[in-house]
Amino acid sequence: MKTKCLFIALLCSLSLSSFGVERIGRLGIGFANQMAVDVPSISFKLQRSKSFAFGGQVGYSNDDNGGGSAAALKIYRNFFEEPNLVFFGSVLGGIINEKRNGVSDSGFQADLTLGSEFSLPGIESLGFSLEFGVSFNKINDFVIETVGNNFLVSAVHFYL
């Protein structure tokens, strides 16, 4: 038991230097599915400073049953940074259009979310996002709903 404790103490005392992913000025291009209409979007994100980024999404489908379009802008405010991980708050505002049975209806969407973007060590050019919060949208009726987006729905960006 004493040997195990000594070994664990030795491992904990080793200093492994790790640094956060530097993305200032880098453009991330990928996909997202955060819009209230069921249209996957092409997404971009540009980190302007250590604490601020902006992004956008655009999606389109000409399917008469479940198609539509969406365009949105998003502002990110970074709160806390760790190696390969950043915690942020964001605001999304967009215009949505939904097609059902050949009828097209337009509206808007506004989201307030908290989330994080992480990268795997060795693959820092890929950023995976997780977000949760509240969404306000109106197509036919005004809807307020909670959102919880995993990285397959929220966003995946490849940083150039």
Side-chain angles (χ1 to χ4, degrees):
M1 181 68 173
K2 189 175 183 181
T3 306
K4 287 182 185 178
C5 290
L6 183 61
F7 180 71
I8 291 172
L10 179 64
L11 282 178
C12 291
S13 68
L14 293 176
S15 171
L16 299 174
S17 62
S18 59
F19 302 95
V21 177
E22 185 63 51
R23 291 198 172 127
I24 297 174
R26 293 181 69 183
L27 174 65
I29 300 174
F31 66 89
N33 196 7
Q34 298 172 318
M35 303 307 290
V37 294
D38 194 21
V39 178
S41 301
I42 296 171
S43 175
F44 75 91
K45 183 178 180 183
L46 181 61
Q47 189 76 35
R48 298 297 299 161
S49 68
K50 189 174 179 93
S51 62
F52 172 75
F54 70 91
Q57 300 178 28
V58 63
Y60 175 78
S61 174
N62 67 352
D63 186 5
D64 284 337
N65 296 315
S69 60
L73 291 176
K74 193 168 189 175
I75 299 171
Y76 300 86
R77 171 70 167 98
N78 296 342
F79 297 129
F80 183 72
E81 199 173 294
E82 289 186 358
N84 297 319
L85 181 70
V86 63
F87 294 97
F88 61 83
S90 67
V91 176
L92 175 139
I95 299 169
I96 53 180
N97 179 284
E98 183 176 52
K99 286 185 192 177
R100 294 279 181 212
N101 300 322
V103 178
S104 181
D105 292 313
S106 296
F108 69 90
Q109 179 175 344
D111 292 0
L112 299 170
T113 57
L114 295 173
S116 65
E117 183 175 33
F118 67 94
S119 296
L120 301 173
I123 313 174
E124 284 84 8
S125 292
L126 280 179
F128 301 93
S129 295
L130 307 165
E131 294 182 42
F132 67 94
V134 64
S135 178
F136 308 92
N137 60 72
K138 181 179 184 330
I139 294 180
N140 291 324
D141 297 322
F142 184 71
V143 177
I144 301 173
E145 59 188 357
T146 56
V147 293
N149 298 323
N150 60 42
F151 67 89
L152 294 177
V153 174
S154 183
V156 175
H157 291 111
F158 175 74
Y159 286 90
L160 305 173

